[in-house]
Amino acid sequence: SLSVANGAATASVIISGSSFGSSPGAGSVRFNGVTASVQSWSQSTIAARVPAGATSGPVVVRVNGFDSNGVAFTVVPTATLSAVTPAAGAIGAVVTIAGSGFGPAQGSSTLRFNGTAASPTAWSDSSITAAVPATASSGNMVVRAGGVDSNVLPFSVVPPPSLSSLSPTQGTPGSVVTISGASFGATPGGVLFGGISASVVSWSASSIQATVPTSAVSGPVTVSASGVTSNAVSFTVLHPPQLTSLAPDTVAPGAVITLAGSYFGAAQGSSTVTVTGIAATILTWSASTITAAVPSGAVSGPVVVHVNGLDSGPLPLSVVAAPILTSVSPTAGSVGTPLFLTGQHFGPAPPAGQAQINGLSATVVSWTDTRINAVIPPGALSGPVSVVAHGVTSNGLPLDVAPAPSLTGLSPVAGRVGSTIVISGTHLGAGSTGGSVRFGSQTATVTQWGESSIIAT
């Protein structure tokens, strides 16, 4: 047997067998007919080197003029290094070695960085990929394939990049940030803002200037140099607030408006909303929605959101006068009684408006800017009548709502035309003024009217 079935010229091969003799004497070892250099010889073991010029074929031992049987051996090319990319890198950097004669697979072949073995991740006859091993130092790189070392190429192990500070530590997309640190190298590498690649303005071994990417978000800034990534330093990306909608778009001072958009921030903090330059009272605040009350001195004009010193684009808001109620007629009535409300600034139509009686919405029959016709609704109680328009409530005027009359009994329950009947009930009123009794559709003559009893014909 042979210790290896293939190898390059000068590779050492151990030949095992018998009857070799105790010393080579006039014996020899030939690789496909080419005589090899013998390193050691014993009765059962010979160590020899693959001779230069040998080709694949049988290995034969000759002793005392007799040839042994032959054992096949494949001669492979000597590994040759042509380039290392990059030629310098930090521990952990991925390096590609180009050349020839590496063999189709790694097998027992090795790659060493100044004597330190690496663990290749890819291996072919002409290319090897590996990370610089943890204990490597600057020196020669060599590949051992087919039992023979290749030529050597120099490789420099350099310190990894290290970040110390950012200036400023927050900024908008498009702004330039100075990154200070060490071991960035003379050749530009890469800068990431929250994983997004940044455009490099300038690069030196200890200072980099980079532009905050358009799509960057707050997070870590890292530098890639010498084939590895640095430590991270936090950076806050300040996106200008984006105001996309405003509802409603016509309101009176004091009305609540809802602003929708993005980049408002999770909490208000020092951020503000202005209506025509006047700060609004903030009711709720989230990253995408704000509710605010229109300030008393506001007039029609732009609404702007201010976050981190940055302004959103404006959206127009029409500010109109608050509704004013001047009269209610009648000032007393029961459920179903028509009401006539007069005043100013009610608006042209009621979709966003209401007429209210003690907080309960009335049934609206017609609506103009100065007059509302409504009906007292079921459940209404005595209290103020007001108008809700343009998001605010007008002043209130009193209304006395009488409970609806309720009948509890008739005596008798049958009778002739012209006979007398006693009607019992509640909330019938103290007098007959404005009231009536009907039998079917015919109005009866009332002879006596009280709060709980009426006598009629």
Side-chain angles (χ1 to χ4, degrees):
S1 65
L2 304 177
S3 59
V4 290
N6 56 70
T10 75
S12 181
V13 179
I14 306 299
I15 305 161
S16 299
S18 61
S19 302
F20 295 157
S22 59
S23 62
S28 64
V29 175
R30 287 170 293 164
F31 283 73
N32 201 22
V34 180
T35 301
S37 171
V38 174
Q39 298 167 289
S40 67
W41 189 295
S42 73
Q43 182 71 24
S44 59
T45 304
I46 300 170
R49 290 191 181 277
V50 179
T55 57
S56 298
V59 175
V60 175
V61 176
R62 169 166 282 202
V63 178
N64 297 321
F66 294 96
D67 287 343
S68 70
N69 59 306
V71 175
F73 183 81
T74 301
V75 178
V76 297
T78 302
T80 302
L81 304 186
S82 58
V84 178
T85 306
I91 299 298
V94 176
V95 176
T96 299
I97 302 98
S100 61
F102 301 153
Q106 181 179 1
S108 60
S109 300
T110 60
L111 166 66
R112 299 190 301 277
F113 287 75
N114 198 28
T116 302
S119 299
T121 55
W123 189 293
S124 72
D125 192 60
S126 60
S127 179
I128 301 171
T129 301
V132 179
T135 58
S137 58
S138 296
N140 289 328
M141 176 182 292
V142 64
V143 172
R144 185 174 183 84
V148 178
D149 285 345
S150 69
N151 60 310
V152 297
L153 288 178
F155 183 83
S156 297
V157 178
V158 298
S162 175
L163 268 64
S164 57
S165 65
L166 303 177
S167 180
T169 57
Q170 60 180 20
T172 58
S175 61
V176 175
V177 177
T178 298
I179 305 165
S180 299
S183 304
F184 296 155
T187 303
V191 176
L192 298 179
F193 281 76
I196 307 298
S197 181
S199 174
V200 173
V201 177
S202 65
W203 188 291
S204 73
S206 59
S207 180
I208 301 168
Q209 286 190 319
T211 303
V212 180
T214 302
S215 57
V217 296
S218 298
V221 174
T222 57
V223 171
S224 296
S226 304
V228 296
T229 300
S230 70
N231 60 306
V233 176
S234 182
F235 183 82
T236 301
V237 178
L238 304 176
H239 287 277
Q242 304 293 316
L243 181 57
T244 56
S245 68
L246 181 68
D249 58 8
T250 301
V251 292
V256 175
I257 54 175
T258 299
L259 294 72
S262 56
Y263 301 119
F264 295 159
Q268 180 185 358
S270 60
S271 303
T272 61
V273 172
T274 58
V275 180
T276 59
I278 303 173
T281 300
I282 303 301
L283 305 178
T284 65
W285 190 291
S286 74
S288 59
T289 306
I290 302 169
T291 58
V294 177
S296 60
V299 295
S300 296
V303 174
V304 177
V305 179
H306 311 264
V307 178
N308 294 320
L310 304 173
D311 291 346
S312 71
L315 285 181
L317 179 68
S318 178
V319 179
V320 298
I324 300 173
L325 184 60
T326 56
S327 69
V328 176
S329 179
T331 58
S334 58
V335 173
T337 299
L339 294 178
F340 301 96
L341 287 66
T342 57
Q344 303 175 46
H345 314 307
F346 297 159
Q354 293 180 350
Q356 294 185 337
I357 300 172
N358 203 21
L360 182 68
S361 295
T363 302
V364 174
V365 178
S366 64
W367 185 298
T368 69
D369 190 57
T370 58
R371 182 181 176 90
I372 300 170
N373 293 349
V375 176
I376 299 176
L381 300 174
S382 297
V385 176
S386 58
V387 174
V388 179
H390 310 304
V392 296
T393 302
S394 72
N395 57 303
L397 293 178
L399 176 69
D400 184 14
V401 179
S406 175
L407 302 188
T408 58
L410 301 175
S411 180
V413 296
R416 297 188 180 91
V417 172
S419 62
T420 298
I421 183 171
V422 177
I423 304 166
S424 301
T426 59
H427 308 304
L428 303 182
S432 62
T433 302
S436 65
V437 175
R438 292 190 301 275
F439 285 75
S441 61
Q442 301 298 312
T443 300
T445 300
V446 174
T447 57
Q448 183 177 323
W449 194 297
E451 177 68 24
S452 59
S453 177
I454 300 172
I455 298 176
T457 299

